[in-house]
Amino acid sequence: MEVANATGRQGLGARVDRDLHKTGFATTGTARNAPHRDDGRTTVTYDPGWDRSARSLAAALPGARLVKKADHGPRMTVTIGDPDQKVRKVLAPDPDSPTEAPLRGDEADCG
């Protein structure tokens, strides 16, 4: 996944990229800057074929909004709009469970 910082807050993209990597997400390791956004909302842009992975990623980013984009491919894009964005660990559903529980983040923030 690629991380882009749209807050103007220096170093936030690198921190979020590093924290996502620490929690088990495959990141590019290099955050980039994006045009400033005033909505204060982080987005996860993804191809609809990767819905489950996108939901897992959004669960790790409190307040993140999912944005489907056809033909986006397997690499998701996290655009940070919240200058106070945190990353938290995600608890995956139990694969042996008869019904799939929703993904949720734990209470402890990473980083």
Side-chain angles (χ1 to χ4, degrees), residues 83-94:
D84 297 315
Q85 184 66 61
K86 305 283 187 216
V87 175
R88 60 184 172 193
K89 293 179 185 175
V90 175
L91 303 175
D94 181 357

Side-chain angles (χ1 to χ4, degrees), residues 19 38-39 46 49 62-63 65 74 81 87 90 98 106 110:
D19 289 350
D38 291 324
D39 65 0
Y46 70 101
R65 179 173 51 102
V87 175
V90 175
D106 69 10
C110 296

Side-chain angles (χ1 to χ4, degrees), residues 65-110:
R65 179 173 51 102
L66 290 168
V67 178
K68 289 182 184 179
K69 183 177 179 185
D71 299 322
H72 193 67
R75 182 179 283 180
M76 289 173 243
T77 305
V78 172
T79 304
I80 306 165
D82 178 356
D84 297 315
Q85 184 66 61
K86 305 283 187 216
V87 175
R88 60 184 172 193
K89 293 179 185 175
V90 175
L91 303 175
D94 181 357
D96 297 327
S97 174
T99 58
E100 185 177 320
L103 295 168
R104 62 185 178 86
D106 69 10
E107 297 302 315
D109 287 329
C110 296

